[in-house]
Amino acid sequence: GQNIDQPTEMTATEGAIVQINCTYQTSGFNGLFWYQQHAGEAPTFLSYNVLDGLEEKGRFSSFLSRSKGYSYLLLKELQMKDSASYLCAVRGGDYKLSFGAGTTVTVRA
Amino acid sequence: IAGITQAPTSQILAAGRRMTLRCTQDMRHNAMYWYRQDLGLGLRLIHYSNTAGTTGKGEVPDGYSVSRANTDDFPLTLASAVPSQTSVYFCASSETSGGSDEQFFGPGTRLTVL
């Protein structure tokens, strides 16, 4: 089975930085994904990590430590449109994705 | 069309009725998936298909069935709906089931079983 934990909610100010942590315990590991989901919409892909380290993509960065079962998503220069849920998902040994419950980020002016 | 579509957008269904949720993708992806999303539980995999002609069970398959007769279509059937199947259902596809291939999600079907 898979166990994926992330905080339920976070609030930050426009222009600030927010870090969303994700810890996991899985049977095998074949990569970690982050998705963004706006209210009432479908999830959309943000990032993929399979090796330890930081992957940067514009204002968003994702970090992975396989030995610690830990990842974080860093959102920089927050904008109002970044208010959404952020889903951590782990591809286990069976190549299926298991999702965390998601972290709702609210950006305030 | 471009991408992945689902129908209907929403549906209210009486308990005990049969219902098929439709999913079509035009990206020629090999792998397709059905998830349900419930508040506080996140996305849970119902069934998947790694390639046309094959299907497999996910985390919560009971009460659901799927078929994959061709590459593009992956319908999900509730044989006899129950209130606990009230949820938002997302279909997704990916080029393959491995590597860095991301999953693309359809817009979802909001299903209410009364």
Side-chain angles (χ1 to χ4, degrees):
Chain A
Q2 324 289 38
N3 187 30
I4 300 166
D5 290 316
Q6 50 182 130
T8 302
E9 295 180 336
M10 301 183 75
T11 300
T13 305
E14 197 173 14
I17 298 172
V18 69
Q19 177 175 315
I20 305 168
N21 296 323
C22 172
T23 59
Y24 63 89
Q25 295 172 316
T26 60
S27 302
F29 179 82
N30 284 293
L32 187 144
F33 295 78
W34 284 95
Y35 283 82
Q36 181 190 57
Q37 185 177 26
H38 285 100
E41 297 184 8
T44 55
F45 170 78
L46 286 179
S47 69
Y48 169 76
N49 296 71
V50 68
L51 299 176
D52 290 353
L54 188 68
E55 294 282 342
E56 297 187 86
K57 192 184 292 186
R59 294 189 298 113
F60 294 1
S61 303
S62 56
F63 172 83
L64 175 67
S65 169
R66 289 172 297 171
S67 63
K68 294 182 180 178
Y70 168 70
S71 174
Y72 68 72
L73 179 69
L74 196 68
L75 286 63
K76 294 177 279 191
E77 302 170 15
L78 277 174
Q79 301 176 10
M80 299 301 289
K81 67 178 182 180
D82 297 330
S83 291
S85 285
Y86 292 85
L87 314 179
C88 175
V90 176
R91 178 177 280 149
D94 58 3
Y95 286 90
K96 299 188 192 72
L97 273 188
S98 293
F99 284 82
T103 299
T104 299
V105 172
T106 301
V107 181
R108 293 184 173 164
Chain B
I1 57 173
I4 184 164
T5 59
Q6 294 183 234
T9 302
S10 65
Q11 182 76 43
I12 298 174
L13 190 67
R17 296 296 297 269
R18 181 184 180 89
M19 176 74 190
T20 295
L21 308 185
R22 300 185 298 279
C23 175
T24 300
Q25 53 101 0
D26 66 354
M27 298 175 283
R28 307 303 293 173
H29 283 173
N30 287 302
M32 296 187 75
Y33 314 86
W34 274 105
Y35 295 91
R36 59 177 291 172
Q37 187 173 38
D38 303 289
L39 198 63
L41 293 178
L43 287 157
R44 292 182 291 168
L45 183 65
I46 304 170
H47 284 288
Y48 66 94
S49 169
N50 287 334
T51 190
T54 69
T55 62
K57 294 181 180 180
E59 180 185 354
V60 288
D62 294 344
Y64 306 95
S65 64
V66 292
S67 61
R68 186 89 185 277
N70 57 59
T71 298
D72 299 345
D73 302 300
F74 191 44
L76 176 74
T77 297
L78 289 66
S80 179
V82 294
S84 62
Q85 293 177 311
T86 293
S87 187
V88 180
Y89 290 85
F90 286 101
C91 179
S93 72
S94 59
E95 191 165 345
T96 70
S97 59
S100 61
D101 291 345
E102 73 211 65
Q103 292 185 12
F104 293 83
F105 285 80
T109 294
R110 184 174 297 274
L111 182 67
T112 302
V113 183
L114 301 176

